[in-house]
Amino acid sequence: TGVAIRQRLFTTEFSSATLRGQLAFFGPLGLSNILYTANLFMGQLYVSAVMGPAMLALYTVGAYLQPIIRVFRSSIGDVIMPEIASKKDVPPNVALVLWQRATVVYCVVMLPIAVLLFYYADVFISVLFTSAYAEATPIFQAFVFLLLLACFDFALPLRIANRTIVFFYLSFATVAVNLGLLLVLVDIYGILGPAIAMVTARFLATIALGGFVMKHCDYSLAGLLPWADVAKVTMLCLVSIPVLLIGELIEVNPLVRAMLFASIYLVIYLFLLVNVGIGDVREFIMRQVRRIF
């Protein structure tokens, strides 16, 4: 407490300018979070009101990934944001290099998980929720694409640039797009329609956020992200997929097959990852291995 007082972390000073500054930053964030939550549960609300509780149970199981993705990405963003904010006196392309490196880390961790969750979605649903919810598999697979979008945290540099008002307008637009698509797609795809609407709305919002980052943080499209490293990680995930297809040729319990060949997939992916030059990923992995052994 004494250190906090000496560093003036506690203060009785207060001004209207400070209040206006805080409201300008946190106000749009709070409103956008309300809209984000409305957008998040719009599908469940529609399915519950129109299709009934049985369909709601299926949809809820299919949407199981949504809260997990948000918590995971927010946790990483909250860890690296203070370090980025501490570099406010240097040019944006220098200050946000940590954010760009974090994007590569997101991709390294989340892309192979997305591949496995999509491929073994039926096994995942059957094991966690029993085969009675097998019809939720396509919904679950649709929401896996949100895991891919979560790799690109364009919100973070806008928070650093104090452009939080963007989140309010974009959240409002995302809700409108989601609702419009939902009303159209539900007649075409049934219970899968709300999931497709949600993913499409979030995809468009991610593109829009990327555009705002380019505008407010002085980035070109080529310099916005380490595209070469992202492409390498994506390619490694794809070239490792044949081992999953080989697993289908073996007569074994589906859960055993999923566990065995998912493990082999990850081993192959990590081997390729270590031996392909992707930023400082190799050094990071080797440090983790040394800590374990």
Side-chain angles (χ1 to χ4, degrees):
T1 303
V3 174
I5 293 174
R6 288 194 298 272
Q7 293 181 350
R8 299 181 63 81
L9 298 181
F10 300 130
T11 178
T12 58
E13 297 178 4
F14 183 82
S15 67
S16 58
T18 300
L19 177 60
R20 287 194 300 271
Q22 293 294 323
L23 288 177
F25 183 85
F26 290 108
L29 281 178
L31 293 173
S32 65
N33 277 331
I34 294 174
L35 291 171
Y36 178 91
T37 303
N39 191 55
L40 196 66
F41 292 102
M42 186 180 299
Q44 283 95 321
L45 180 62
Y46 181 89
V47 170
S48 175
V50 176
M51 299 182 180
M55 291 294 101
L56 176 61
L58 283 177
Y59 190 86
T60 301
V61 168
Y64 185 77
L65 275 177
Q66 283 192 100
I68 298 175
I69 293 171
R70 189 182 186 191
V71 170
F72 180 69
R73 198 179 76 164
S74 296
S75 298
I76 298 177
D78 289 342
V79 168
I80 68 174
M81 185 180 175
E83 201 167 338
I84 297 176
S86 68
K87 303 179 184 297
K88 62 183 179 181
D89 295 328
V90 299
N93 61 328
V94 177
L96 296 180
V97 68
L98 179 61
W99 163 69
Q100 292 180 321
R101 289 171 55 196
T103 299
V104 178
V105 174
Y106 278 132
C107 292
V108 165
V109 174
M110 299 170 76
L111 288 185
I113 293 175
V115 170
L116 293 176
L117 287 176
F118 186 90
Y119 192 87
Y120 291 118
D122 56 339
V123 178
F124 186 88
I125 293 294
S126 297
V127 169
L128 286 187
F129 303 101
T130 76
S131 57
Y133 293 93
E135 293 181 38
T137 298
I139 302 171
F140 185 88
Q141 289 176 317
F143 279 107
V144 168
F145 286 95
L146 292 182
L147 194 60
L148 302 180
L149 295 179
C151 295
F152 306 99
D153 188 8
F154 292 123
L156 192 59
L158 289 173
R159 287 165 63 188
I160 299 301
N162 198 19
R163 299 289 181 174
T164 55
I165 189 63
V166 168
F167 300 139
F168 171 72
Y169 294 127
L170 191 57
S171 295
F172 186 84
T174 303
V175 169
V177 171
N178 188 11
L179 179 59
L181 288 175
L182 186 155
L183 295 175
V184 172
L185 295 177
V186 74
D187 291 331
I188 302 174
Y189 298 105
I191 194 174
L192 183 58
I196 297 176
M198 161 70 80
V199 173
T200 303
R202 293 279 294 277
F203 173 74
L204 296 175
T206 300
I207 293 177
L209 278 175
F212 284 120
V213 171
M214 292 168 57
K215 177 181 178 181
H216 295 298
C217 299
D218 195 26
Y219 276 115
S220 65
L221 180 60
L224 180 62
L225 290 173
W227 298 111
D229 287 342
V230 171
K232 289 178 183 178
V233 174
T234 303
M235 185 58 64
L236 295 183
C237 289
L238 295 178
V239 300
S240 303
I241 287 178
V243 70
L244 302 180
L245 301 177
I246 293 173
E248 300 301 324
L249 303 177
I250 299 177
E251 292 294 332
V252 68
N253 179 276
L255 177 59
V256 174
R257 179 192 297 118
M259 294 176 62
L260 175 60
F261 284 92
S263 299
I264 296 174
Y265 172 90
L266 291 175
V267 169
I268 294 174
Y269 167 75
L270 288 174
F271 174 80
L272 295 173
L273 189 65
V274 169
N275 290 278
V276 174
I278 302 178
D280 54 1
V281 170
R282 187 179 191 280
E283 290 73 16
F284 173 78
I285 293 176
M286 296 309 295
R287 284 198 302 269
Q288 304 311 309
V289 171
R290 284 193 293 268
R291 288 179 180 176
I292 295 175
F293 297 102

